[in-house]
Amino acid sequence: QVQLTESGGGSVEAGGSLRLSCVASAYIHNSFCMAWFRQAPGREREAVASIFTAGGSTYYADSVAGRFTISRDMAMNTVYLQMTDLKPEDTAMYYCAAVESIFGSGEACYRSSYKSWGQGTQVTVSS
C-alpha cells in the first residue's frame, strides 16, 4: 500500500480558500483512483472529490461542486484539493485516499473502496 501525507489545512473565515496537498510515497501510475474524504465530529465520513489518474477524470459531491477542484501532479506524486468559497459546514478533518484501480472515470473512483489513507488535515471555517 502507498503511504499518503496530507498538508495544507488550517483555519479560515467563510468565503476564504485553502489548498490541500496529498503526497504519495510511491509513484502514482496511470491506474489509480485518488480521493478526498472528510469527517466532521459526530458525522460519518463522506467522499468529497475523486480523480482517476489516467486522464484526470473527476467527480464531486453535490455539496462542493463548483467550489472545490481536485487535481493531480503525476511527476510530484501529489493530489491537490483546491477549496474556494469555504463555508462553516466544510469544517472537518480531511483525508486523502488511494487505491489501484481499473476503473476509468472519476465517478467510478468516487464510489470505490480505498486501501490507503493519510492521517488527515484539519480544516476549520468560521462564520
Side-chain angles (χ1 to χ4, degrees), residues 25-36:
S25 62
Y27 174 60
I28 304 173
H29 56 74
N30 281 337
S31 294
F32 261 85
C33 283
M34 301 209 53
W36 287 94

Side-chain angles (χ1 to χ4, degrees), residues 17 27 37 59 64 70 85 96:
S17 299
Y27 174 60
F37 289 76
Y59 194 82
V64 307
I70 188 171
D85 190 23
C96 177

Side-chain angles (χ1 to χ4, degrees), residues 26-127:
Y27 174 60
I28 304 173
H29 56 74
N30 281 337
S31 294
F32 261 85
C33 283
M34 301 209 53
W36 287 94
F37 289 76
R38 67 185 180 187
Q39 187 168 21
R43 302 190 65 176
E44 293 187 357
R45 185 175 62 196
E46 62 174 347
V48 173
S50 58
I51 187 167
F52 186 60
T53 54
S57 173
T58 60
Y59 194 82
Y60 298 91
D62 289 343
S63 59
V64 307
R67 300 188 297 122
F68 291 11
T69 302
I70 188 171
S71 62
R72 88 279 191 236
D73 184 335
M74 303 287 280
M76 299 297 291
N77 295 328
T78 301
V79 172
Y80 303 98
L81 185 68
Q82 178 69 50
M83 305 184 294
T84 63
D85 190 23
L86 283 161
K87 303 176 181 181
E89 52 263 42
D90 294 319
T91 295
M93 185 71 79
Y94 283 71
Y95 298 91
C96 177
V99 65
E100 291 187 72
S101 177
I102 61 172
F103 299 139
S105 72
E107 182 173 0
C109 290
Y110 187 84
R111 308 185 193 291
S112 178
S113 297
Y114 286 81
K115 292 185 177 180
S116 298
W117 294 85
Q119 81 290 348
T121 185
Q122 178 68 36
V123 172
T124 302
V125 184
S126 58
S127 58

